[in-house]
Amino acid sequence: MRHGKGAAVAAVAGMLVLAACGGSDGDSGTTGSSGKPRIKLVVNGGLGDKSFFDSAYAGLKRAEKDLGYELKVVELGSDRTKWEPGFEDAAAAGDYDILAAGTFEVTDYIGELAPQYPDKKFWVFDAPVDYSGKNGTCSDKCENVYSVTFKQNEGGYLAGFLAEKLVAGKALKGAESLKKVGVMGGVKTPLIEDFVVGFKAGFTAAGGSGSDVLVQYVGGDKPFGDPARGKEISTAMYGQGAALVWPVAGLSGLGTFESAVAAQRYTFGVDSDQYQTLTDQAQKNTVVTSILKNVGNALYKAAQDDQKDSLKYGAVSTVGLSEDAVGYVNDDHFAQLVPAKIRTELEAAAGRVKSGSVKVPSAL
């Protein structure tokens, strides 16, 4: 993969600019016309996933409101052939001071583009660029790129631990006789496997058998954007006796909530509090808790640190339970579904991970 050096490409068909505040295309200044720093969030997909990208957007909107940034959002859609030229176009436009993008699928794009625009800053969340330059990107070591990654294996561990305690304790009303659970990933990559590895470790640590954890991947051309396929896979898992399914698959996971309603079973949310973000009440009621990857919190913290000139560019920051970057939703709805004894056990398990007395295995 190679990008045109420093040249803008034609605007990508279907690219949607949600909000543009200050600054004009081609402006090479450090701020918009209002004097405020400008962040451009480029989404390799779309908002509305009720989880990962929506969390990133919420964090940057908070930075806009609280810290005085200006935010523009560009959605590139699910057609992967549009992503490379879309990132080139977004970077070349010049209407930003910071370009933010996330997932392992965009790191090569940012790694090649960032050295071409040394007067700009780039934030990559959920996977780092290759600072070594070994894969042909980051030839100048990407000294203007900040990468933040998450210990999603720690969140997965808590999900697995809770899942086993729920099924072993026959705590899920209507599913008391079932002992299997499912994890649906978008695609089998090290990052998604990190969720799965952590989940299995937590499940077995709580006393369960790894053979009772069903794992399947959406795959295809839209692994994180295919709710119909997500529903199909989740329906099959429920049919195999899963009491609950945890979708780790972006928009594809929305199909899991539909399936759970039909099967009268349960789910865990992912990345964001999906009990709050889902709009269908029946689907909301299937969500026991959500395992949080606080992307928005991490980006808000990056915005704070950048204002103080303390954000470390040219390096990777890795955050987990100890930094409140991953965790789980513990609210009234959770308390209604989960007995106090299990809630206490889960809290203790989280404490052991935070303290380091439990080392969660990782796929990374």
Side-chain angles (χ1 to χ4, degrees):
M1 177 185 62
R2 286 291 181 270
H3 303 259
K5 303 300 181 183
V9 298
V12 178
M15 180 182 292
L16 173 63
V17 177
L18 292 182
C21 307
S24 59
D25 287 355
D27 180 1
S28 60
T30 57
T31 58
S33 57
S34 67
K36 296 180 179 180
R38 302 161 298 174
I39 301 177
K40 179 186 284 187
L41 173 63
V42 183
V43 178
N44 54 310
L47 297 179
D49 61 2
K50 313 292 186 184
S51 58
F52 182 83
F53 284 126
D54 284 0
S55 175
Y57 176 67
L60 293 177
K61 283 296 290 183
R62 189 153 57 101
E64 182 179 48
K65 178 177 181 291
D66 296 349
L67 304 176
Y69 286 86
E70 292 182 347
L71 178 63
K72 171 181 286 187
V73 180
V74 177
E75 294 179 270
L76 299 181
S78 59
D79 184 346
R80 291 166 180 262
T81 65
K82 303 277 177 54
W83 290 357
E84 182 173 359
F87 274 99
E88 288 181 331
D89 190 67
D95 55 345
Y96 64 96
D97 305 297
I98 299 162
L99 190 151
T103 80
F104 63 92
E105 295 173 297
V106 309
T107 54
D108 280 358
Y109 302 144
I110 301 302
E112 290 200 3
L113 287 167
Q116 300 175 43
Y117 302 96
D119 59 328
K120 302 295 186 180
K121 298 175 181 178
F122 294 80
W123 296 352
V124 181
F125 51 93
D126 207 33
V129 296
D130 176 24
Y131 290 103
S132 72
K134 291 180 179 178
N135 71 353
T137 65
C138 287
S139 57
D140 294 330
K141 298 187 178 179
C142 289
E143 294 178 354
N144 56 338
V145 180
Y146 165 72
S147 299
V148 59
T149 63
F150 300 83
K151 297 177 183 177
Q152 54 273 321
N153 59 322
E154 294 184 348
Y157 181 91
L158 298 185
F161 187 94
L162 175 60
E164 164 56 16
K165 290 295 182 181
L166 289 170
V167 295
K170 302 184 184 302
L172 296 174
K173 186 177 179 181
E176 294 90 345
S177 65
L178 304 175
K179 63 178 183 177
K180 293 184 182 296
V181 297
V183 182
M184 183 184 75
V187 66
K188 191 172 183 178
T189 63
L191 193 147
I192 299 301
E193 280 295 281
D194 212 33
F195 284 97
V196 177
V197 167
F199 186 97
K200 288 182 175 179
F203 194 82
T204 55
S209 168
S211 63
D212 286 329
V213 179
L214 308 174
V215 179
Q216 193 169 342
Y217 302 89
V218 176
D221 295 332
K222 300 185 294 181
F224 298 96
D226 193 345
R229 178 62 176 153
K231 182 177 181 179
E232 179 184 333
I233 291 171
S234 300
T235 298
M237 287 182 169
Y238 290 128
Q240 294 173 64
L244 65 86
V245 173
W246 184 33
V248 186
L251 276 168
S252 298
L254 297 181
T256 298
F257 303 110
E258 292 184 42
S259 178
V261 172
Q264 296 185 309
R265 303 283 173 79
Y266 296 87
T267 63
F268 289 160
V270 68
D271 293 337
S272 296
D273 181 353
Q274 293 193 282
Y275 180 77
Q276 296 297 330
T277 59
L278 291 169
T279 56
D280 183 278
Q281 188 61 50
Q283 293 180 23
K284 289 162 67 82
N285 290 341
T286 71
V287 181
V288 178
T289 186
S290 292
I291 306 303
L292 302 174
K293 180 184 284 189
N294 290 319
V295 177
N297 286 358
L299 292 178
Y300 184 81
K301 178 66 163 53
Q304 288 179 313
D305 290 346
D306 193 64
Q307 283 192 336
K308 301 172 186 175
D309 291 325
S310 61
L311 193 64
K312 294 182 180 179
Y313 287 88
V316 183
S317 174
T318 301
V319 291
L321 271 174
S322 295
E323 297 81 13
D324 194 31
V326 299
Y328 64 96
V329 174
N330 184 0
D331 58 6
D332 290 343
H333 175 71
F334 180 69
Q336 289 172 3
L337 292 180
V338 181
K341 179 176 183 294
I342 295 177
R343 299 200 306 272
T344 300
E345 290 173 329
L346 180 62
E347 185 176 351
R352 291 191 291 273
V353 174
K354 285 183 179 180
S355 70
S357 62
V358 167
K359 301 292 185 184
V360 181
S362 174
L364 299 177

